Amino acid sequence: MAEWVKLCGAAEAPRAGEVMETEALGVAICLANVDGRLCALGNVCPHRQGPLGGGWIEGEAVLCPWHAWAFDVTTGEAAAPEKGKVDVFPVRVEGEDVLVEIEKPEPRGLLE
Ligand code: FES
């Protein structure tokens, strides 16, 4: 089940044109500010696991810092000719907090 959880304080969020790495519920997340709009993507690049939050923004995409694959911030799809996708998470600002809607991990049983 998905729930809204705090990703960071609004004051810590990236400014327009910036990206950062963060995490929620153990999931690594790239938080990007595209022209004032906060976007949350999975932080791990499907190419060779580069950290998207260490990359940069071009247009409507976050570019991976390792080999510059470009991921659309709305769909999470890599720009052609590359093939790959990262998760995209809904984001909202509530008071002093930036919240992300994310799937809560299933509780593990004692016998696992
Ligand atoms: S690891 Fe991201 S483009 Fe290669």
Side-chain angles (χ1 to χ4, degrees):
M1 190 174 96
E3 65 179 86
W4 288 94
V5 298
K6 180 177 177 178
L7 195 52
C8 66
E12 303 154 5
R15 295 167 196 254
E18 296 178 352
V19 295
M20 67 181 271
E21 293 180 75
T22 182
E23 68 89 25
L25 298 180
V27 177
I29 290 177
C30 163
L31 184 62
N33 186 326
V34 180
D35 292 329
R37 177 169 46 105
L38 290 173
C39 306
L41 309 170
N43 191 52
V44 182
C45 178
H47 179 217
R48 293 197 182 157
Q49 288 73 55
L52 295 189
W56 66 95
I57 295 171
E58 282 185 17
E60 289 285 308
V62 171
L63 274 70
C64 178
W66 287 7
H67 313 97
W69 284 24
F71 295 89
D72 186 292
V73 295
T74 303
T75 65
E77 298 276 355
E82 317 303 352
K83 290 187 178 11
K85 187 176 188 307
V86 293
D87 289 331
V88 176
F89 304 96
V91 181
R92 73 174 191 232
V93 177
E94 194 172 286
E96 298 297 311
D97 298 330
V98 176
L99 306 178
V100 66
E101 188 176 33
I102 194 164
E103 206 66 38
K104 188 172 184 173
E106 292 293 321
R108 294 181 178 235
L110 293 174
L111 299 177
E112 288 184 285

